[in-house]
Amino acid sequence: MFLPLRCASPFFVLLFACSAAQAAKINAQVSTPAGEPVTNAGVYAKLIGASVPTVPIREISIEQINKEFVPLVSIAQAGALMNLPNRDSIRHHVYSFSPAKTFEIKLYSGVPSKPVLLDKPGEVVLGCNIHDNMIAYVLVVDTPYFGKTDVKGRALLEGLPAGEYEVYLWYPGGSMAQPPQKLKLGANDSSDVKFNFASRLLPQRPATPATPPATGK
Amino acid sequence: MILPGLRSSKLENRIVVFFVVLLLFVQLAGFFAIRYAIEQSARSNLREDLNVGVRVFKRMLEQNSQQLVEATAVLTYDFGFREAVSSQDRDTILSALGNHRDRIKAAGMALINLQNVVVADTLAVDSTGKQFAFPELIAAAADMRRSSAIRMIDGTVYQIVVVPVLAPLPISWVAMSFVIDDAVASDLKRINSLDVTFIGKTGNSPAEIFATTLSPFMREQIRGFIDNLANQPEMGGTRTLAGEEFEMLSVTIDRYDNKRIFALLQRSMRDGLRPYDSLQVVLLFLAAVGLTISLFGSMRIARRISRPVSALAEAARAVAAGRHVSVSAEAMRQNDEIGELATAFDNMSRGLAERDRMRDLLGKVASPEVAEQLLRQNIELGGEERQVTVMFADIRDFTELCETLSPHDSLMLLNRYLERISGVIDHYEGVIDKYTGDGVMALFGAPIARADDPERAILAALEINRRVRELGQELAREGLPHPLVGIGINTSRVIAGNIGTASRLNYTVLGDGVNLAARFESLTKRYQVPVVVGRETREKVPGLVYRELDKVKVKGKKVAVRIFEPLGREHEIDAVALATLHTYHEAIEAYRQRRWQQAAASLAAIRDQPGYHRVCEIYLEYIRQFESAPPDQTWDGSFALYEK
């Protein structure tokens, strides 16, 4: 387990440092059995048999805009701090009853003074107690190598040191039934990983018409 | 149907009873036909109501479950509850469940984790860690975010609602149980007016009744057939329970494993028909009114018929008894057949009265027997020529006698004579044609002819003579005058018939023979004999002894007629009298042959014999005249009679 690090380094500095030091990449492609891309899926790789180089842990921020959490899906390394700035004129009461992180910030506006520490890996589902339709998913992983699929179902994992990896797929709503894919990466390797999303998908934003069409119930 | 105080006859009763019974029949038939139609319509309405009621019932159950689902969902959104749930502390969770269960007034509340394992259950506290009994409800809730079903748990039926605890994704399931009991059934009944019974059946074991609106008694009544009912998915029909008809329908409301839960909906036919009760009352009222009207109407009509009929019957009885009554004017005023009958009866009665009067009159002028016969045979008293024996009986010199008596005494005397004479004529069945002042004219052979008419006439004449002599002795004893009677009888063909006008008719006879009889009567005075009969009469009655009186030429007649005095039957005359008669007849024979001396000698010989003095004197006078002036050659031995 990583120790929680309090790191306030800017996002782009970290990215630069990583890409400069490591060269291996994983190109993940997540699609449905029908070949349609699956967006907002998380892909993360765990280095096996070697210690992960210590890197600064990035904070994440999930804003509340128009009674929606933005972004809907976030991935964070364990130990990351989660900011929950309220951009709406109304207050929100953000909570999570997920075992990975249970917390509650009672009705507030603006930026809460204390960010939430995501100390345990696992899925944290955020809700607002006074707006039942608000939902956000945060996957807390104990690896710094993760990515989120874009609208084409692609996720790029960069700056991976050479070694053996287990690549996991995650989808909001706790669908982690797929076994991880194992692969070996040399320095500067670029490996393609394909996931076929076979399991049932939970709606990402239940009962909200503004969300992209659900892939299932 | 006789009302007290009403005078009613048999006919009246029968008419009234007939009409009332007829109307009663018609009304009863109508009443039952309407009742039948109403009942049929009500039955079909009731069936339709029941079908609608079943749809309503199903919808109500749905709504009910929907409301429970929503309420439960709202309840599970409670943040504190979610906090309690996420606390993982069983006792906390259990008490929170109890608290929320009470908020919604449910029977029980359970928390089930996403692996279908019971976290806590207020209904079964020791079920923690066990698989939830109804995983299908959770599966349905996972699909639909909520589910609701009816389940049996330990002899009770629950509506179980399963909703997820959202945070905001499902973190657990909540199962809320609402008991379905009699109160719920009553609530349902309040809305659709149907009796509801919730029944559950497991496999082949007997069906159980979980909740009902029925009374305990009715609950036992339906227990007998619900097992059968359970084998059919939806079954309706009419059933009689404890003498009351019910329209019922069973509806399956849930089914799982080998269990089936259904509801039996029923409605009492009596309740369904209650709205028609008032209609029946109206019908009965109308029937009663109609019956009353027809009762009085038929009584009135019956009386209009029977009263005149009774009156007529009474009048008829009176007529039969010989009284003549006029039928009541009321009956005759009636402008119908009854009135006609009354009028006809009245006319008949008057006709009978007329006839009776006629018979009375006839009885006075003829013997009652003859009158009776006349009436019975309905003899047409038209003009006809027939042979009749006419009798004239006259009291001799009565006019002169009257001068010595008062009018009253004269009449009394006359009537005493006429009474004797009439009696004898009646006895011999003569018909008194008329009273001619101091005499009687009687007919034998008219209007009814009989072979012994002449004989009866003669015998009557002899009897009259005898009776008048008796009367004479009576009158002599009373110191009253006692004249003799002269009787003339002649038999001849005469015209018989009604004479006069239509209003006043007189049956009589006309002809020369009648006049001749009158002449004969007057001749009795000349010959001083009681009875004078003509030759025709004598020839028709041969059994008598006659004395020839003379041969007379009546005024206006060319031919002379022989006249005789009947003396009696042969055996009544003694030998001396017969010998005298013989001598007399020989003398007359001699006289007619112009042997005057011989005739005169014979007459002189018998002139002192009783009854011969006058005739002998007459013949001796003839002889004296002819001896001085003999008759011419044409003389036929007759004597021309010029006086009346």
Side-chain angles (χ1 to χ4, degrees):
Chain A
M1 264 316 160
F2 296 97
L3 287 172
L5 287 177
R6 300 288 169 109
C7 180
S9 310
F11 177 64
F12 64 89
V13 174
L14 282 171
L15 188 62
F16 177 75
C18 291
S19 59
Q22 311 289 343
K25 292 189 250 184
I26 292 175
N27 281 310
Q29 172 69 49
V30 182
S31 44
T32 64
E36 288 167 29
V38 174
T39 187
N40 276 336
V43 178
Y44 60 97
K46 286 187 179 175
L47 184 62
I48 301 170
S51 62
V52 176
T54 304
V55 291
I57 294 172
R58 285 174 288 172
E59 289 185 5
I60 59 165
S61 182
I62 300 171
E63 297 172 303
Q64 294 112 60
I65 304 168
N66 272 337
K67 292 188 273 178
E68 277 188 9
F69 287 113
V70 180
L72 170 65
V73 175
S74 308
I75 304 175
Q77 194 179 348
L81 291 172
M82 177 172 61
N83 287 299
L84 295 160
N86 183 358
R87 309 290 180 216
D88 285 338
S89 56
I90 53 170
R91 297 183 183 205
H92 290 294
H93 175 168
V94 180
Y95 69 86
S96 163
F97 289 115
S98 302
K101 185 66 193 178
T102 301
F103 74 93
E104 171 191 10
I105 307 172
K106 287 186 179 159
L107 290 173
Y108 69 94
S109 49
V111 181
S113 54
K114 274 171 76 178
V116 176
L117 174 65
L118 301 170
D119 49 356
K120 281 186 283 184
E123 188 183 60
V124 177
V125 183
L126 304 186
C128 173
N129 196 31
I130 60 170
H131 303 106
D132 286 345
N133 286 328
M134 289 175 69
I135 188 166
Y137 302 88
V138 181
L139 179 66
V140 182
V141 292
D142 50 357
T143 174
Y145 316 115
F146 53 83
K148 187 171 77 171
T149 56
D150 59 13
V151 289
K152 290 181 177 165
R154 291 176 311 191
L156 178 63
L157 280 62
E158 286 179 301
L160 281 72
E164 270 187 78
Y165 287 89
E166 281 179 336
V167 184
Y168 293 84
L169 173 68
W170 166 81
Y171 192 78
S175 305
M176 284 185 282
Q178 285 204 1
Q181 296 187 20
K182 290 190 175 178
L183 58 89
K184 242 182 183 165
L185 284 176
N188 298 321
D189 273 2
S190 181
S191 181
D192 288 347
V193 177
K194 279 190 196 291
F195 285 99
N196 265 332
F197 207 93
S199 67
R200 269 174 17 151
L201 298 182
L202 281 174
Q204 296 179 353
R205 286 185 198 273
T208 306
T211 53
T215 45
K217 284 190 174 179
Chain B
M1 182 154 274
I2 303 164
L3 295 185
L6 280 179
R7 198 186 64 92
S8 44
S9 68
K10 277 183 188 168
L11 178 66
E12 199 174 320
N13 288 349
R14 248 179 284 162
I15 291 169
V16 171
V17 166
F18 174 77
F19 280 112
V20 168
V21 166
L22 182 72
L23 191 83
L24 202 64
F25 174 75
V26 166
Q27 280 184 332
L28 278 180
F31 178 76
F32 283 112
I34 291 170
R35 205 185 130 98
Y36 179 77
I38 284 174
E39 210 173 288
Q40 288 304 303
S41 143
R43 224 172 261 271
S44 97
N45 281 351
L46 213 61
R47 222 160 281 148
E48 188 50 41
D49 280 358
L50 196 62
N51 285 328
V52 171
V54 165
R55 286 200 290 276
V56 168
F57 174 75
K58 283 177 166 173
R59 180 83 191 110
M60 273 158 52
L61 281 186
E62 263 170 45
Q63 272 182 346
N64 199 29
S65 95
Q66 221 165 337
Q67 279 172 4
L68 294 178
V69 162
E70 297 305 333
T72 307
V74 166
L75 211 59
T76 57
Y77 261 119
D78 179 72
F79 195 77
F81 176 71
R82 284 185 289 188
E83 270 187 311
V85 165
S86 67
S87 74
Q88 307 277 330
D89 181 59
R90 182 184 167 272
D91 290 343
T92 306
I93 291 171
L94 195 60
S95 74
L97 290 174
N99 180 63
H100 282 65
R101 172 203 63 197
D102 293 345
R103 279 194 192 171
I104 203 170
K105 294 186 175 64
M109 191 172 182
L111 187 75
I112 299 112
N113 71 13
L114 295 178
Q115 282 73 46
N116 286 4
V117 174
V118 176
V119 177
D121 187 350
T122 63
L123 270 181
V125 177
D126 57 351
S127 64
T128 303
K130 291 178 185 163
Q131 283 287 314
F132 182 52
F134 309 109
E136 71 276 7
L137 297 185
I138 293 187
D143 261 357
M144 308 292 292
R145 294 240 139 194
R146 57 203 53 200
S147 69
S148 169
I150 293 170
R151 291 290 182 265
M152 291 185 266
I153 303 170
D154 298 334
T156 308
V157 168
Y158 295 96
Q159 169 114 40
I160 300 180
V161 165
V162 175
V163 296
V165 181
L166 295 172
L169 284 186
I171 54 169
S172 314
W173 305 103
V174 158
M176 192 78 85
S177 307
F178 301 89
V179 72
I180 294 178
D181 55 9
D182 290 355
V184 172
S186 296
D187 279 350
L188 291 168
K189 185 185 179 179
R190 216 167 296 139
I191 293 168
N192 64 4
S193 316
L194 296 176
D195 277 311
V196 183
T197 305
F198 288 94
I199 299 158
K201 187 165 164 68
T202 306
N204 289 323
S205 54
E208 290 176 85
I209 294 172
F210 293 111
T212 185
T213 53
L214 297 175
S215 63
F217 174 72
M218 288 301 295
R219 186 194 296 240
E220 290 314 307
Q221 291 291 315
I222 64 166
R223 210 179 273 286
F225 64 89
I226 53 174
D227 264 331
N228 293 333
L229 213 59
N231 297 328
Q232 290 145 329
E234 293 220 346
M235 205 206 78
T238 309
R239 265 173 202 276
T240 305
L241 300 175
E244 198 179 339
E245 260 189 299
F246 288 92
E247 190 70 32
M248 35 182 78
L249 203 60
S250 77
V251 186
T252 299
I253 52 178
D254 218 322
R255 172 199 292 281
Y256 63 102
D257 302 337
N258 63 343
K259 296 179 170 66
R260 198 161 80 82
I261 299 165
F262 60 95
L264 179 68
L265 299 167
Q266 65 188 61
R267 189 163 187 198
S268 155
M269 197 67 86
R270 199 194 294 152
D271 290 347
L273 286 173
R274 197 154 294 148
Y276 299 101
D277 284 356
S278 60
L279 183 61
Q280 281 197 9
V281 169
V282 169
L283 278 177
L284 281 175
F285 173 74
L286 285 179
V289 168
L291 211 59
T292 310
I293 290 173
S294 84
L295 177 66
F296 285 103
S298 57
M299 266 169 22
R300 207 180 125 79
I301 291 170
R303 228 173 296 160
R304 271 178 75 86
I305 293 170
S306 67
R307 283 257 169 100
V309 169
S310 299
L312 283 174
E314 210 166 299
R317 272 195 295 276
V319 169
R323 285 179 289 124
H324 293 291
V325 291
S326 184
V327 183
S328 74
E330 182 199 350
M332 293 204 296
R333 245 197 336 270
Q334 245 173 263
N335 197 15
D336 51 19
E337 289 84 348
I338 298 287
E340 274 176 44
L341 177 63
T343 308
F345 184 88
D346 205 50
N347 287 344
M348 183 196 79
S349 171
R350 217 177 301 150
L352 279 176
E354 199 74 36
R355 217 160 127 177
D356 265 12
R357 266 203 296 281
M358 210 164 95
R359 187 184 3 212
D360 274 2
L361 282 173
L362 227 54
K364 285 191 184 93
V365 298
S367 73
E369 290 81 5
V370 172
E372 197 65 43
Q373 208 174 0
L374 274 174
L375 288 165
R376 217 175 20 247
Q377 293 178 358
N378 200 18
I379 283 159
E380 186 60 44
L381 303 179
E384 57 183 338
E385 199 189 87
R386 52 163 58 215
Q387 182 173 282
V388 175
T389 302
V390 181
M391 169 196 282
F392 280 93
D394 222 38
I395 303 167
R396 237 174 248 165
D397 303 325
F398 187 73
T399 317
E400 291 86 341
L401 204 118
C402 284
E403 289 168 8
T404 63
L405 291 169
S406 70
H408 179 256
D409 289 346
S410 301
L411 208 61
M412 290 288 283
L413 190 64
L414 178 62
N415 283 344
R416 284 178 81 168
Y417 270 90
L418 293 181
E419 204 180 317
R420 293 286 161 110
I421 296 165
S422 298
V424 176
I425 291 170
D426 280 347
H427 180 74
Y428 285 92
E429 295 173 33
V431 172
I432 293 172
D433 183 274
K434 59 173 78 75
Y435 291 99
T436 59
D438 51 2
V440 175
M441 174 181 166
L443 308 177
F444 291 81
I448 299 162
R450 270 183 283 176
D452 60 348
D453 285 333
E455 184 178 356
R456 277 186 291 110
I458 290 172
L459 293 177
L462 294 175
E463 179 73 15
I464 288 167
N465 191 37
R466 261 196 302 279
R467 289 297 173 89
V468 167
R469 279 177 203 281
E470 283 170 17
L471 179 65
Q473 286 166 10
E474 282 175 34
L475 292 172
R477 276 198 294 276
E478 292 171 31
L480 287 167
H482 43 92
L484 288 175
V485 173
I487 299 166
I489 294 172
N490 188 42
T491 302
S492 64
R493 293 196 71 78
V494 297
I495 293 166
N498 285 305
I499 297 163
T501 61
S503 60
R504 190 177 171 80
L505 285 175
N506 199 0
Y507 182 78
T508 189
V509 290
L510 296 170
D512 284 346
V514 180
N515 298 334
L516 209 52
R519 293 276 183 276
F520 290 168
E521 182 268 313
S522 58
L523 282 175
T524 57
K525 223 186 298 184
R526 172 181 163 85
Y527 296 99
Q528 293 187 353
V529 292
V531 184
V532 172
V533 304
R535 187 180 52 85
E536 286 84 355
T537 312
R538 185 201 166 213
E539 282 172 1
K540 285 183 167 45
V541 191
L544 295 181
V545 176
Y546 297 90
R547 180 168 70 169
E548 181 159 8
L549 292 176
D550 208 342
K551 192 171 185 181
V552 294
K553 199 177 267 177
V554 181
K555 189 183 175 187
K557 294 276 176 187
K558 286 187 178 117
V559 184
V561 291
R562 293 170 69 187
I563 54 172
F564 302 89
E565 182 204 358
L567 298 175
R569 298 188 185 278
E570 280 177 16
H571 62 85
E572 289 172 348
I573 313 296
D574 59 35
V576 179
L578 279 176
T580 310
L581 186 63
H582 186 70
T583 308
Y584 169 72
H585 282 154
E586 274 180 351
I588 289 178
E589 192 54 41
Y591 159 74
R592 288 186 182 150
Q593 291 170 5
R594 306 180 188 229
R595 288 185 271 120
W596 316 117
Q597 293 304 320
Q598 188 192 343
S602 296
L603 290 167
I606 59 169
R607 69 187 289 178
D608 291 328
Q609 290 297 318
Y612 282 89
H613 182 73
R614 176 62 182 161
V615 281
C616 288
E617 280 297 311
I618 286 172
Y619 276 99
L620 286 173
E621 179 60 28
Y622 292 157
I623 291 166
R624 260 194 302 276
Q625 285 181 11
F626 285 141
E627 275 175 341
S628 55
D632 60 18
Q633 284 302 304
T634 61
W635 182 68
D636 56 359
S638 71
F639 158 74
L641 188 71
Y642 296 113
E643 69 211 77
K644 186 190 173 260

